[in-house]
Amino acid sequence: MKTKNAWNNYDEAECSAVEALARDYKAFLSSCKTERECVTYGVRLLQEKGYIDLKDAVREGRRLKPGDKVYGNNMGKQLIAFQIGKQPLEAGMNILGAHIDSPRIDVKQKPVYEEQELAYLNTHYYGVIKKYQWVAIPLAIHGVIAKKDGTVVDVCVGEDEKDPVFCITDLLIHLSAKQMSKSAAAAVEGENLDLLVGNRPITKADWEDISRKRGADEEHEEKKAKKLPKNAVKEHLLKLLADRFCMDEEDFLSAELEIVPAGKARDAGFDSSMILGYGHDDRVCAYPSLIALLESSDLERTGVCILTDKEEIGSVGATGMQSRYFENMVAEVIALTGEYSDLKLRRALANSCMLSSDVSAGFDPLYASSFDPQNAAYLGRGVCFNKYTGSRGKSGSNDANAEYMARLRAVLDEDQICYQTAELGRVDEGGGGTIAYICANLGMQVIDSGIAVLSMHAPWELVNKADIYEAKKCYMSFLKKI
Ligand code: MN
Ligand code: MN
């Protein structure tokens, strides 16, 4: 393998294929800014290709045979799809895994307050972020409000051109002498990342109306109703929320509202070779993983795509990779393909191979000193393999086996796929982890792979279109040949 720029390999037809995949990916990224939105989108694509819900297959007692396709939707936040191969499950699966949660700012359970006629939503950030990057940019709110009656209202405000956007304010530079002398980590405090959502008091007429509805029929209540309340901007906000989402303030208690950068993913650079978007980490790996499974057929070994949640906070919880959901699903699939036994389940897991895909730190010439140039990931040089991640002495890493990497090299070279290998920055410069080590606990072969990103974890991240295309080719070869 000679590392080279993937674009040098493309003729006109392949350039159009790169562009077509990039166009589809941009559409996905622009409309899927939460894990729930990714799952909904993924389920639609899977159903279009004939995948059926595992719950239905179990209920109907279907017998799964080679070529059959099922998916599991875990609480609307984790999605796992299986395409049954010709070999029995216990021979192992070829698994593509990536995560669909991204760093963001969540709305607290009791969020609404008013200060000097400015209405805010109180927040708590999710994942590792440079807080100063999230102020003074247009933001949108995506999520759900679950009501006591069992209904769930979808929320998406700030994406449609007719929608308002939101913002977290920053102190003007003219008064920032103290702030500018702080470290970057302390310049913007976590508790100060509150979202500004309103600045206009409720009208008298509306307030009288609301007071009447609240049962203010006694004489002194009526007098009160004629005067605007102290927190008239907050009351206005609550009225608008009630009108739009049929919710009251208490409904925030059972809501999941995620604050994300507003706007679409865009081509970047005069040559439009890159894409600037929110949430490339890790949707830029999740999307080609899913598409690769959708476009594969006639597989020898069962092909699997895992799109998981909560990676950014340690893969915890029922929808994170540490949960038993995947293992349980494999057990169900084994049962539907023949006789279930615990031993078959263990063999199926231990005989599997996995590409655990997550974004790599792209080499940034402006911050060259943070990288080892010989072992860095470069934009445009194809899919990137990390034998290990982790921090300090590789702590927290899944260190992939040399023999497994050798098998991958053989397939990648045979199929002329452009790839590179990298470490996450210079030794002792920092580090990070992925879902790889969790799946490796099941005894399978796992390696970290993925796509190089610039400005990782910033509101807007950058990737190269050729890398997405090479990743998809790599995933298809992996499903077919490993
Ligand atoms: Mn990631
Ligand atoms: Mn991340």
Side-chain angles (χ1 to χ4, degrees), residues 213-325:
K213 277 188 201 140
R214 284 181 189 169
D217 48 4
E218 288 165 32
E219 207 187 313
H220 74 281
E221 284 293 336
E222 216 166 277
K223 242 189 252 161
K224 215 159 79 181
K226 292 223 162 69
K227 230 175 88 196
L228 280 182
K230 262 201 199 117
N231 50 358
V233 176
K234 174 180 166 179
E235 290 294 350
H236 187 205
L237 169 69
L238 293 176
K239 180 193 181 303
L240 294 171
L241 292 174
D243 291 349
R244 187 154 177 177
F245 302 113
C246 296
M247 72 178 291
D248 57 34
E249 192 174 358
E250 278 202 3
D251 287 327
F252 277 109
L253 292 175
S254 49
E256 283 174 2
L257 298 172
E258 305 181 9
I259 297 162
V260 296
K264 292 187 160 81
R266 307 276 299 265
D267 279 358
F270 279 115
D271 56 9
S272 294
S273 58
M274 298 169 286
I275 299 172
L276 184 73
Y278 162 68
H280 285 312
D281 178 5
D282 182 33
R283 293 163 192 146
V284 74
C285 299
Y287 186 76
S289 291
L290 182 64
I291 297 300
L293 184 69
L294 291 170
E295 293 186 4
S296 293
S297 57
D298 222 20
L299 296 175
E300 279 300 318
R301 279 152 65 85
T302 293
V304 180
C305 178
I306 302 174
L307 303 184
T308 193
D309 182 29
K310 299 283 184 283
E311 192 277 341
E312 296 293 355
I313 57 168
S315 297
V316 290
T319 55
M321 202 61 229
Q322 296 196 51
S323 94
R324 280 288 173 85
Y325 185 77

Side-chain angles (χ1 to χ4, degrees), residues 99 101-103 127-128 281-282 311-312 358-359 433 456-457 461:
H99 70 90
D101 61 315
S102 296
V128 202
D281 178 5
D282 182 33
E311 192 277 341
E312 296 293 355
D358 206 345
V359 289
M456 193 192 295
H457 279 213
E461 304 172 312

Side-chain angles (χ1 to χ4, degrees), residues 335-375:
L336 293 181
T337 54
E339 290 278 289
Y340 170 81
S341 80
D342 182 55
L343 189 59
K344 281 185 183 174
L345 170 63
R346 293 180 199 218
R347 283 180 183 154
L349 295 168
N351 290 330
S352 289
C353 292
M354 181 176 190
L355 292 184
S356 168
S357 287
D358 206 345
V359 289
S360 262
F363 181 85
D364 188 335
L366 300 182
Y367 299 92
S369 65
S370 296
F371 299 85
D372 163 12
Q374 198 170 322
N375 289 284

